[in-house]
Amino acid sequence: MKQNKVAREQQIAVFGESGSGKTVLLSSFYGLALEQELAGTERFDLLAVDSAQGRRLHQNYLGMKKSASLPMGDRFSSTSYAFTIKRKPGAAANAKKNLKEELRLVWHDYPGEWFQQDPSVPEEAVRRLETFRGLLGSDVAMVLVDGQKLLDHAGEEERYLKSLLTNINTQLLRLRDDLLVNDERLVRFPRIWLMALSKADLLPETDVTMFRDLLVEKVGKELNNLQDVIGSFVETPEALSVGEDFVLLSSAKFEPEKIEVSKRVGLDLILPIAAMLPISRYLPWAQTMKKSADVAKHLMGAVAPSSSLLASAKVASIIGRLPNPIATVAATVGPFLAKSAFDLAGSRVEELHAQASEKHDFLTETLTGFQMELNRGDDEKVLLRGRV
């Protein structure tokens, strides 16, 4: 039997209304990765697990780049895309072999039409439910706010924003009773809900702080409602972050008869957000967990594959042996791990990155590289991370 080489799989669920740019975003992300224009691809290859899916995304990207043609959206189509991130062939021939040195990203695309329209037939309602069940393994959910619609509603942005968040709330509530068997809340559920401004190139004067302030000013109440609705799905809702993280995204610069795919915003942050943001939240949450051993076990287990980055092999082995009730042990191990996570800033992460590069430690080099991208996103006011 072929051994599984996946050291860490991260899933991200992307929500946005029809026309918000999900297909363009994903196509640009993959096309730039193939052309080694995405941050980190000088060290690793990012490839679609399903070659047919990858070819369609690449075709979309080339259509934008060479013909200024936008990809056709697949109405009501729900698709998950899996990508592997692995060391380039032949790179560092003397590197230590690691049976689990491959990373994987699974990108769930939830149809925007499902937030805006009722099911037309019972079969469609079932499909919506099954699609949502498929993305429950995601740690991060990204809600796209359409920059074009903000422009269209300039001066009265709350009209669009309230509609967007209300539609998401309504759809979640419709799914809730069918997802929660015997009203038992879920341990596995997206616990980090990040707000993303898509088509950010249309609002060049808007930095991420201004985007955050716009949402809080115009729809602060609706964001609180969204947090309450999402909290009603999960066991231990205090281990939840909704509307505390913000990012600007632009797939390209769009002009009449010209699409400049090299002029993007935020696409280099998608992998780092998916891989690293949960680490900064899950460790402190698990550390303070007092009641739910299942949730603490899930949180610690989600970051255990990356523990060599945060601490040491000894600590990684401790995590692997965590007994029940896990909360007690997590409270013992947690402070050290949490401190290590917060140390991944500035010169410290750069030092770890340089050391990993010298040792040809692919996983640590890649993950510290992701952390450096997040820090750079903060500095450039493209990313705004909430505090734990």
Side-chain angles (χ1 to χ4, degrees):
M1 182 181 294
K2 185 177 179 180
Q3 286 187 285
N4 181 9
K5 294 185 178 182
V6 177
R8 176 168 173 77
E9 177 177 285
Q10 184 57 55
Q11 301 183 39
I12 185 168
V14 181
F15 298 96
E17 292 183 340
S18 177
S20 60
K22 298 193 302 296
T23 303
V24 173
L25 187 71
L26 179 57
S27 300
S28 291
F29 167 80
Y30 188 62
L32 289 165
L34 289 183
E35 294 189 349
Q36 298 186 28
E37 294 293 331
L38 204 66
T41 48
E42 71 280 1
R43 299 187 306 273
F44 58 76
D45 287 325
L46 185 144
L47 299 171
V49 173
D50 184 322
S51 59
Q53 280 187 341
R55 198 171 297 113
R56 285 195 297 272
L57 293 176
H58 194 199
Q59 183 180 27
N60 289 343
Y61 171 80
L62 293 174
M64 290 188 288
K65 180 180 179 180
K66 296 181 178 295
S67 306
S69 60
L70 289 172
M72 295 292 292
D74 294 328
R75 287 177 57 81
F76 302 102
S77 174
S78 60
T79 310
S80 295
Y81 302 83
F83 304 97
T84 58
I85 303 155
K86 60 179 70 176
R87 190 195 303 269
K88 287 185 176 295
N94 61 338
K96 179 177 67 175
K97 297 298 182 181
N98 187 335
L99 289 177
K100 291 187 175 182
E101 69 168 12
E102 180 180 294
L103 299 166
R104 179 172 292 188
L105 171 71
V106 180
W107 178 308
H108 300 281
D109 186 349
Y110 196 79
E113 292 82 3
W114 287 357
F115 287 119
Q116 299 164 278
Q117 301 178 30
D118 293 333
S120 56
V121 293
E123 290 77 12
E124 185 182 322
V126 171
R127 188 153 58 95
R128 294 187 186 197
L129 179 62
E130 291 305 312
T131 297
F132 201 87
R133 282 199 178 110
L135 55 79
L136 293 183
S138 303
D139 292 315
V140 178
M142 184 181 294
V143 178
L144 298 187
V145 176
D146 190 333
Q148 180 63 63
K149 289 190 176 180
L150 287 180
L151 276 180
D152 294 343
H153 293 83
E156 50 181 15
E157 294 89 352
E158 63 273 13
R159 289 183 58 193
Y160 159 61
L161 293 171
K162 286 182 179 181
S163 173
L164 170 67
L165 295 179
T166 299
N167 287 339
I168 293 175
N169 270 335
T170 300
Q171 179 67 359
L172 290 174
L173 288 171
R174 286 174 175 169
L175 296 171
R176 185 182 182 279
D177 288 344
D178 289 321
L179 283 170
L180 304 188
V181 179
N182 297 323
D183 205 34
E184 292 186 7
R185 297 192 181 191
L186 303 171
V187 171
R188 293 184 61 86
F189 193 84
R191 290 181 179 267
I192 300 172
W193 289 68
L194 175 144
M195 307 301 294
L197 175 62
S198 69
K199 307 177 189 176
D201 56 293
L202 298 176
L203 300 163
E205 302 303 317
T206 300
D207 66 23
V208 73
T209 302
M210 295 168 64
F211 173 53
R212 187 270 315 270
D213 290 350
L214 175 69
L215 293 182
V216 173
E217 177 192 359
K218 301 292 186 179
V219 286
K221 179 181 177 181
E222 285 73 18
L223 282 172
N224 287 341
N225 290 341
L226 178 62
Q227 179 173 329
D228 290 342
V229 169
I230 294 170
S232 73
F233 280 80
V234 296
E235 185 176 340
T236 318
E238 58 266 29
L240 185 66
S241 171
V242 179
E244 298 178 18
D245 305 277
F246 304 84
V247 67
L248 306 184
L249 297 175
S250 174
S251 305
K253 183 177 181 180
F254 295 84
E255 299 177 351
E257 300 183 0
K258 184 179 182 181
I259 300 176
E260 296 185 67
V261 294
S262 62
K263 294 186 177 180
R264 79 276 187 182
V265 176
L267 267 66
D268 299 279
L269 296 173
I270 291 175
L271 277 174
I273 284 170
M276 303 303 292
L277 202 57
I279 293 174
S280 67
R281 303 291 160 78
Y282 281 18
L283 292 172
W285 286 342
Q287 176 189 345
T288 59
M289 203 67 60
K290 298 185 183 302
K291 294 182 179 179
S292 177
D294 288 340
V295 173
K297 185 175 182 179
H298 165 62
L299 298 176
M300 297 293 282
V303 300
S306 303
S307 58
S308 61
L309 164 67
L310 299 176
S312 66
K314 181 178 180 180
V315 174
S317 69
I318 292 174
I319 295 176
R321 298 196 305 270
L322 286 175
N324 285 324
I326 195 168
T328 303
V329 182
T332 301
V333 180
F336 176 76
L337 287 174
K339 181 178 184 301
S340 300
F342 294 129
D343 281 347
L344 291 178
S347 59
R348 175 56 178 160
V349 71
E350 292 173 5
E351 177 186 344
L352 288 172
H353 184 73
Q355 291 173 358
S357 180
E358 290 176 4
K359 296 177 182 178
H360 306 295
D361 182 343
F362 172 70
L363 283 178
T364 303
E365 182 183 10
T366 301
L367 291 173
T368 50
F370 286 164
Q371 185 66 29
M372 290 165 64
E373 285 300 316
L374 293 183
N375 295 344
R376 187 176 299 115
D378 288 336
D379 293 340
E380 295 177 353
K381 296 188 179 299
V382 174
L383 174 69
L384 183 61
R385 287 175 282 177
R387 297 184 181 274
V388 179

